[in-house]
Amino acid sequence: MSASLNKVTQTLKEVIDAPIASYFESCVHCGLCAEACLFYTETGDPKYTPIHKVEPLRRVYEQEYTLLGRLMKMVGLSKPITDDELEQWQELVYDSCTMCGRCSLVCPVGNDIVYMIRKFREGMAVSGHVPDGIRSATRRTVEIGGPMGLKWPAVANVLKHAEENTGLTIPVDKEGADYLVLLSSMEIVNYPEYIEALAKVFHKAGISFTLASDAFEATNAGIQIGASDIARVIVSRIVDAAERLKVKYVLSPECGHAYMAIRWEGPNLIGRPYGFKVVHVLELLDQLRQEGLLKMKDTFKDPLILHDPCQIVRRGGVLQAPDALIRQVAENYIPIADQQKWNWCCGGGGGASAIHTEEAEALRARAFGVKKRQIEAAGVGTVVTFCANCRITMEEALDHYEMNTKLIGLTELLAEHLED
Amino acid sequence: MNELQLLTWARGPGLDIAVGIFVLGVLWRLIEIYTLGRKKDLAAPRRAAGASGLHTVFRRSLAPPGMLKRSPVSYIGGYTFHIGLAIIVFLGAPHILLISNLTGLSWPALPAQLIDLVAVVTMAAMLVMLFDRITKPAKRFLSTFEDWFTWTVTFLPVLTGWLAVQHLLLPYTTMLALHILSAEILLIVLPFTKLFHAFTLFGSRWYNGSANARKGVPV
Amino acid sequence: MTLDVIPIHVANQPPGEPGLSGNAPPLLREVAEQVRRLLESGEPSAIDLSALPLTSADLDWLQEKLGAGEIAVTLQAGGESTLDETACPGVWWVTHRNEQGAVTSQFIEVAFVPELVKAHPEDVAIGLETLAFMISDHQGDAD
Amino acid sequence: MQGPLIDTLARQGVSRRTFLKYCATLASMMALPPAAGRAMAEAMAAARRPSVIWLPFQECTGCTESFTRSHSPTLEGMIFDMISLDYQETLMAAAGHQAEEARHTAMRDNAGKYLLIVDGSIPLGVDGAYSCIGGRSNVDLLQEAAAGAAAVIAVGTCAAYGGIPKANPNPTGAVSVSDIVKDKPIVNIPGCPPIPVVMTGVLAHYLTFGSLPELDDKGRPKAFFGETIHDRCYRRPFYDQGKFAKTFDDEGARRGWCLFELGCKGPVTYNACATVKWNGGTSWPVESGHGCLGCSEPDFWDAGGFYKALSVPADPLGFTAAAAMVGAGAGVAGGFANRAKKSTAKKTHEPVTLDDLEVPK
């Protein structure tokens, strides 16, 4: 067995647990998970059936942790995993899985397939069977500080602009603030309006907040690539900063997997509960709305639909806030059929949007078909979302299909119509 | 060996062996699977109504929104043959007698003609499911020897039971012996094949439900 | 003590008389066919009613349809047998009973005279011998 | 006593019409067409009665009782009018050497033509010493008599299939007639005891057509053993409705419901009791409130108990508790091994670095 394969099995042996065992034993090959996966529904290619994407993991489970499997392995009746195989599975595990978790909601025997993918990626990552795009994003995050290679001076520059535009101060490294605000590189570079909107809201509500110069980046390529050790390094920066600055809350930005990383995976990565609370920006906004602190001066008139980012809604549990907030600001909000926890992914989650091979991009464009139909069926020109990654994925897809649809971030939309 | 001896063997040593292996297998597999354990989730939980492991154990028995339309054969066929099997196994008079003999529990049976009808419907549903497995790309793609094997092993007891009652193909005694033997094969292979989902699906649903319930998502 | 005193009552029929099975009406055609054959070729025939899947309601129906004719023969031979002509001449309803009175077999016989009614030549010959004895006895007495 | 049958009957006061009537009923029972009854009567009336040698082996005389218990000239009783019974230990007046002499004479005079009736099983243990007549073992006597027989009729379950003597643990090494006689036609008339009229039917068939009736795969006349007790049972509708007597004195038993749950073997027993009945058509076991024991089937004595329903275990399950222990043991052992393996993997865990993410060389 090659050294890398050895690493794979060692790693998988560590991560395989009772739920994974139970899931594999329960699978009856009914194929219903395929019907929940946009890569299958949009391509019709059965290799995209979610449970098939973790087939090597199943074999390792069977060979290592079942008595019969061990016997079979001993007498040489089982098929060991190979590097070639993992190479082949890389596309299935990364390019064509956005970890949207829709399959986990339909499996009739209750298998949490996305949980299995997440574990399987641990093994894929340690053996280097990962797409270049995610690998380099991870490297940049660890070595430079963010997936896009953004450094603090550039961020400080954006903050300065925001202060100028809003006339409000944006505190940095301020000890004892209520909220530590995190950002995602994508917001800093592409949607700086988010920072301005946030400043306005905090100011209006009279809440103290701060940014940390050594922990401004919320995203965590480590959990996308599936390397917990690396994810831990990245999340520790935020935890350290939050504890150093003694904040009560850490505010997760409009970014799906960032929320997953800091809110749900973080404590498990560092091995202890936090001394602070992690709040998603929409949760905060909805709380302010309920307290009457989020008053609109006017409403947005164009008909629009809402795209629920998987990691925040279905997998993150922020279920009610987005709907309540959009109704606050949009006059012609059109609810769509598959919404909230039943939403369809944009096609770029789980690190997929960082993969820039021709095949991956073509596949993403096809997978966007379901979203495209939703937009067309609703007959709207505007889509509101609250994840920078969804937004950039959809922008690329809309360009690809030459659709004239406008994308707006929810926080930004609220800020625009906020009472002065 | 004549057919009465075969029947007596099936009812005697055969049943003993089959039930023995079944009990052995079920306990072994359950312990093997669930002692693997899992890490405690350290993230602060979020509570939501209707989100818990137990909720999911029950909720997953219903087709999720939109799925019935996407895959009607899987759901309607699946429901039909699962419910059919349950009716036959738990409401057929001879089966109740067996259960009562093994456990001491007893309840009223359904008329034989009704069980007959259910058996026919169940077999039809299973054949439709088989056809579906052959023709539907995702299912066909996932299918291994085990899938065809377990289908056969599940189908045979229904078929032989029905043939025995209908006096078709072979004398009743032989068919009854084959029926009991096929049910014994089913018992023996159940813990070691995907048929074990009959036990693990509760654990799986519960794990999925409770993990997501911590995030406040009723799944 | 009679049997009814014993508190075990055996229901010979399930509750609610099983009705007509629908097997009786075609038998009428069969009988008609046999009668036709009897007329054309003089060949007698019979239908074994106990070999057919008939309910007691079917038998009643059949018996009622065929009706009663002019001749009713009673035979005392190892239990009572009845050979009754039906309303259709040439069609006989034959019932054999054992010594306990239970029906052992039942037929519809199509014949000018049921076979069993006719005396066998050998028996007739024996009868003739008996007659000859009687005559010689009588002559002896007269002498 | 070598004249035509009809004369013998006449001497006993059986009229020709009575005989005709019996033949009609017999034909009906054997599922032969009505015309066959007539043909049978004609043929039999004129037939010369075949010589019959009746050998009793390991038996209880129940079969003989069954045939001889009819007081009046009934169908069953006619058996003895139809044959020239030259040797039957229980019935014959002769004994000892005289009886042996009678058998030898019959065998010599009718060589190749006589019928051999056997009741009882044949013990093979200790060279057949378990059952001897006049110092000769049963197997020896059977082989000698079978050699010159036209056909063998094995009467009763013991002769047909070994019966009760063959039941576990079969101390005498009992076997059936067909286990020993391989070169003669054999008709099995099983039952404990068998239905007498079946014997009459077989003999009538033999006398009428000169051949044995059609047999099933267990050597039984199909006409009588073609269907199960269950299929011909008047209580069958209750089975179909799911109405069962649970004890011999409950409401269900009083109302005549199905006896399946009380261990009735009707569903797997091929015999004619339900239609022919017993004691001159008076009743039969199920009608009397007791389930069928399955006495006409091979090995009925060891078929899991007379009072155990067919769908319940024939023997108490013996492995289950042990299997549960072994299963739990294997599971726990596997569980420990798995956990050890997992903790080793964790202990030897080397932190994943960025370099690990690179493509393996």
PDB file of all heavy atoms in Angstrom, chain A residues 65-76:
ATOM      1  N   TYR A  65     -14.035  -2.336   9.795  1.00  0.00           N
ATOM      2  CA  TYR A  65     -14.847  -2.326  11.005  1.00  0.00           C
ATOM      3  C   TYR A  65     -15.972  -3.358  11.062  1.00  0.00           C
ATOM      4  O   TYR A  65     -16.779  -3.325  11.978  1.00  0.00           O
ATOM      5  CB  TYR A  65     -15.426  -0.927  11.232  1.00  0.00           C
ATOM      6  CG  TYR A  65     -14.385   0.057  11.734  1.00  0.00           C
ATOM      7  CD1 TYR A  65     -14.227   1.310  11.149  1.00  0.00           C
ATOM      8  CD2 TYR A  65     -13.560  -0.283  12.802  1.00  0.00           C
ATOM      9  CE1 TYR A  65     -13.278   2.204  11.620  1.00  0.00           C
ATOM     10  CE2 TYR A  65     -12.603   0.604  13.269  1.00  0.00           C
ATOM     11  CZ  TYR A  65     -12.467   1.843  12.675  1.00  0.00           C
ATOM     12  OH  TYR A  65     -11.517   2.716  13.143  1.00  0.00           O
ATOM     13  N   THR A  66     -16.060  -4.248  10.066  1.00  0.00           N
ATOM     14  CA  THR A  66     -17.052  -5.317  10.213  1.00  0.00           C
ATOM     15  C   THR A  66     -16.306  -6.648  10.257  1.00  0.00           C
ATOM     16  O   THR A  66     -15.304  -6.831   9.556  1.00  0.00           O
ATOM     17  CB  THR A  66     -18.076  -5.348   9.054  1.00  0.00           C
ATOM     18  OG1 THR A  66     -17.410  -5.735   7.867  1.00  0.00           O
ATOM     19  CG2 THR A  66     -18.735  -4.003   8.862  1.00  0.00           C
ATOM     20  N   LEU A  67     -16.813  -7.545  11.064  1.00  0.00           N
ATOM     21  CA  LEU A  67     -16.158  -8.831  11.241  1.00  0.00           C
ATOM     22  C   LEU A  67     -16.068  -9.572   9.906  1.00  0.00           C
ATOM     23  O   LEU A  67     -15.028 -10.112   9.537  1.00  0.00           O
ATOM     24  CB  LEU A  67     -16.958  -9.659  12.251  1.00  0.00           C
ATOM     25  CG  LEU A  67     -16.156 -10.446  13.272  1.00  0.00           C
ATOM     26  CD1 LEU A  67     -15.156  -9.571  13.993  1.00  0.00           C
ATOM     27  CD2 LEU A  67     -17.101 -11.093  14.272  1.00  0.00           C
ATOM     28  N   LEU A  68     -17.199  -9.548   9.173  1.00  0.00           N
ATOM     29  CA  LEU A  68     -17.208 -10.247   7.891  1.00  0.00           C
ATOM     30  C   LEU A  68     -16.232  -9.600   6.916  1.00  0.00           C
ATOM     31  O   LEU A  68     -15.508 -10.280   6.199  1.00  0.00           O
ATOM     32  CB  LEU A  68     -18.622 -10.248   7.299  1.00  0.00           C
ATOM     33  CG  LEU A  68     -19.606 -11.224   7.935  1.00  0.00           C
ATOM     34  CD1 LEU A  68     -20.928 -11.176   7.190  1.00  0.00           C
ATOM     35  CD2 LEU A  68     -19.047 -12.636   7.919  1.00  0.00           C
ATOM     36  N   GLY A  69     -16.231  -8.260   6.905  1.00  0.00           N
ATOM     37  CA  GLY A  69     -15.335  -7.536   6.014  1.00  0.00           C
ATOM     38  C   GLY A  69     -13.884  -7.831   6.324  1.00  0.00           C
ATOM     39  O   GLY A  69     -13.047  -7.988   5.430  1.00  0.00           O
ATOM     40  N   ARG A  70     -13.588  -7.914   7.620  1.00  0.00           N
ATOM     41  CA  ARG A  70     -12.209  -8.204   8.017  1.00  0.00           C
ATOM     42  C   ARG A  70     -11.802  -9.594   7.555  1.00  0.00           C
ATOM     43  O   ARG A  70     -10.681  -9.806   7.084  1.00  0.00           O
ATOM     44  CB  ARG A  70     -12.073  -8.116   9.534  1.00  0.00           C
ATOM     45  CG  ARG A  70     -12.156  -6.691  10.042  1.00  0.00           C
ATOM     46  CD  ARG A  70     -12.346  -6.716  11.530  1.00  0.00           C
ATOM     47  NE  ARG A  70     -11.300  -5.956  12.194  1.00  0.00           N
ATOM     48  CZ  ARG A  70     -11.358  -5.616  13.479  1.00  0.00           C
ATOM     49  NH1 ARG A  70     -12.374  -5.995  14.210  1.00  0.00           N
ATOM     50  NH2 ARG A  70     -10.411  -4.917  14.024  1.00  0.00           N
ATOM     51  N   LEU A  71     -12.758 -10.538   7.717  1.00  0.00           N
ATOM     52  CA  LEU A  71     -12.475 -11.904   7.269  1.00  0.00           C
ATOM     53  C   LEU A  71     -12.217 -11.931   5.770  1.00  0.00           C
ATOM     54  O   LEU A  71     -11.254 -12.528   5.298  1.00  0.00           O
ATOM     55  CB  LEU A  71     -13.665 -12.817   7.607  1.00  0.00           C
ATOM     56  CG  LEU A  71     -13.736 -13.309   9.044  1.00  0.00           C
ATOM     57  CD1 LEU A  71     -15.008 -14.114   9.259  1.00  0.00           C
ATOM     58  CD2 LEU A  71     -12.514 -14.170   9.362  1.00  0.00           C
ATOM     59  N   MET A  72     -13.093 -11.243   5.041  1.00  0.00           N
ATOM     60  CA  MET A  72     -12.952 -11.189   3.580  1.00  0.00           C
ATOM     61  C   MET A  72     -11.603 -10.590   3.208  1.00  0.00           C
ATOM     62  O   MET A  72     -10.936 -11.039   2.279  1.00  0.00           O
ATOM     63  CB  MET A  72     -14.061 -10.325   2.977  1.00  0.00           C
ATOM     64  CG  MET A  72     -15.454 -10.815   3.271  1.00  0.00           C
ATOM     65  SD  MET A  72     -16.124 -11.799   1.936  1.00  0.00           S
ATOM     66  CE  MET A  72     -16.617 -10.505   0.800  1.00  0.00           C
ATOM     67  N   LYS A  73     -11.208  -9.552   3.954  1.00  0.00           N
ATOM     68  CA  LYS A  73      -9.944  -8.884   3.664  1.00  0.00           C
ATOM     69  C   LYS A  73      -8.794  -9.861   3.936  1.00  0.00           C
ATOM     70  O   LYS A  73      -7.842  -9.947   3.166  1.00  0.00           O
ATOM     71  CB  LYS A  73      -9.824  -7.651   4.558  1.00  0.00           C
ATOM     72  CG  LYS A  73      -8.695  -6.716   4.152  1.00  0.00           C
ATOM     73  CD  LYS A  73      -8.636  -5.536   5.123  1.00  0.00           C
ATOM     74  CE  LYS A  73      -7.288  -4.855   5.088  1.00  0.00           C
ATOM     75  NZ  LYS A  73      -7.142  -3.920   6.221  1.00  0.00           N
ATOM     76  N   MET A  74      -8.935 -10.605   5.035  1.00  0.00           N
ATOM     77  CA  MET A  74      -7.877 -11.543   5.402  1.00  0.00           C
ATOM     78  C   MET A  74      -7.676 -12.600   4.338  1.00  0.00           C
ATOM     79  O   MET A  74      -6.549 -12.955   4.013  1.00  0.00           O
ATOM     80  CB  MET A  74      -8.236 -12.215   6.733  1.00  0.00           C
ATOM     81  CG  MET A  74      -7.367 -11.741   7.871  1.00  0.00           C
ATOM     82  SD  MET A  74      -7.542 -12.832   9.268  1.00  0.00           S
ATOM     83  CE  MET A  74      -9.064 -12.300   9.977  1.00  0.00           C
ATOM     84  N   VAL A  75      -8.786 -13.106   3.791  1.00  0.00           N
ATOM     85  CA  VAL A  75      -8.629 -14.152   2.784  1.00  0.00           C
ATOM     86  C   VAL A  75      -8.528 -13.565   1.372  1.00  0.00           C
ATOM     87  O   VAL A  75      -8.547 -14.286   0.387  1.00  0.00           O
ATOM     88  CB  VAL A  75      -9.790 -15.174   2.841  1.00  0.00           C
ATOM     89  CG1 VAL A  75      -9.791 -15.881   4.175  1.00  0.00           C
ATOM     90  CG2 VAL A  75     -11.134 -14.497   2.601  1.00  0.00           C
ATOM     91  N   GLY A  76      -8.433 -12.241   1.331  1.00  0.00           N
ATOM     92  CA  GLY A  76      -8.182 -11.588   0.037  1.00  0.00           C
ATOM     93  C   GLY A  76      -9.380 -11.522  -0.875  1.00  0.00           C
ATOM     94  O   GLY A  76      -9.241 -11.450  -2.086  1.00  0.00           O
TER      95      GLY A  76
END
